[in-house]
Amino acid sequence: MGGYPGHSSVHPALIETAESKLTEAKKSEALIDFRVMSCGDDLQLLMSHKKGCDNGEVHALAWEAFEAATEVAKRLKLYGAGQDLMADAFSGNICGMGPGVAEMEINERTSEPVVAFMTDKTQAGAFNLPIFKIFADPFNTAGLVIDPACHQGFTFEVWDVREHRKVLMDCPGEMYDLLALIGAKSRYVIKRIFCKPGSKISEQEAVAVVSTEKLYQTAGTYVGKDDPVALVRCQSGLPALGEVLEPFALGHLVGGWMRGSHNGPLMPCSFETAHPTRFDGPPRVIAAGFQMANGDFVGPVDLFKDVAFDRARQRCLEIADYLRAHGPFEPQRLPMEDMEYTTLPQVMKTLKNRFVNAE
Ligand code: 13P
């Protein structure tokens, strides 16, 4: 809604503004509970309610909170105020209007641990690798091997974000086909994970959901990166909390970073250190842990603050040094196909008429 300074962090006044909007909504019982959080220069709203997914009233509430924060950002002349809000008027659903959305409708279990992941300086598709590892890789998730409740695997819902189509894939049965798609993370993005029929949790209920919005598709031009979020439920027939966090110890490469045009390691960070400043990065992810109690968010716990992620952070810094040394060369810079959605085509236009046929 406006960076402070540049693209690095969210000004506390924006958080306070969104909090006061959502406090009113909680008082009027439009929401059960909420948390306003931030990762880098992105403002995140976590909201619980009983109105189901895609509810117009709840989406309007989020829109109004973002609009109010944008007003404050404009007053403080924060950088790129309103960058991720694409329309002047709200049209009933926030999807496709700039902000990323990850919603799930659940029957809260006796104990319902949930992790909310929030990123900055990266693209939709950044969660493909970790979500795959959590729900399909037995080297990551011991439960897939040793817990009878996980043993049958999970169903993956994958979106083709270019053609706006989706497919359900069975894992492990169709694992190799699944990987053929989701390895191409700028086009095929994991949207939801479901349990199989006969599991403790109904196969209708998502157990993980990721925002898949592509900001350039809404804006029609590069204005910023997608900075996706994800919600993952844990334990009792699902991967354990530690299995959900484990893939982030890799520091896998994602697109984003400076001007949304570079590859960099996704660095797991504490809430306080999620302020990307080196070359506007490297890309960040935070993990907020909650227990749900009748819709109330009990938490958050800052899950990546654990010293056990220090080595992952160190490796990300080493990878960052190595990639930075490549400057404008691939693979530090994104491949040409992904650069089509950045400011590079404007530069290429000026060179177009200089080209002659090569012999
Ligand atoms: P954000 O998408 O996080 O605003 O970053 C944009 C950018 O260009 C950073 O260099």
Side-chain angles (χ1 to χ4, degrees), residues 3 6-8 39-42 79 83-84 119-122 215 222-227 256-261 276 279-281:
H7 291 281
S8 66
C39 180
D41 63 348
D42 290 307
Y79 190 72
Q83 172 188 286
D84 296 0
T119 66
D120 188 32
K121 303 294 175 277
T122 186
L215 201 51
Y222 176 75
V223 289
K225 220 57 189 174
D226 317 320
D227 304 327
W257 208 342
M258 172 60 75
R259 298 171 186 273
S261 305
F279 197 56
D280 284 0

Side-chain angles (χ1 to χ4, degrees), residues 29-32 47-53 55 58 105 294-295:
E29 297 186 0
L31 294 180
I32 303 173
M47 302 186 286
S48 63
H49 57 87
K50 288 192 172 166
K51 300 167 203 287
C53 294
N55 177 269
V58 173
E105 187 171 351
N294 306 310

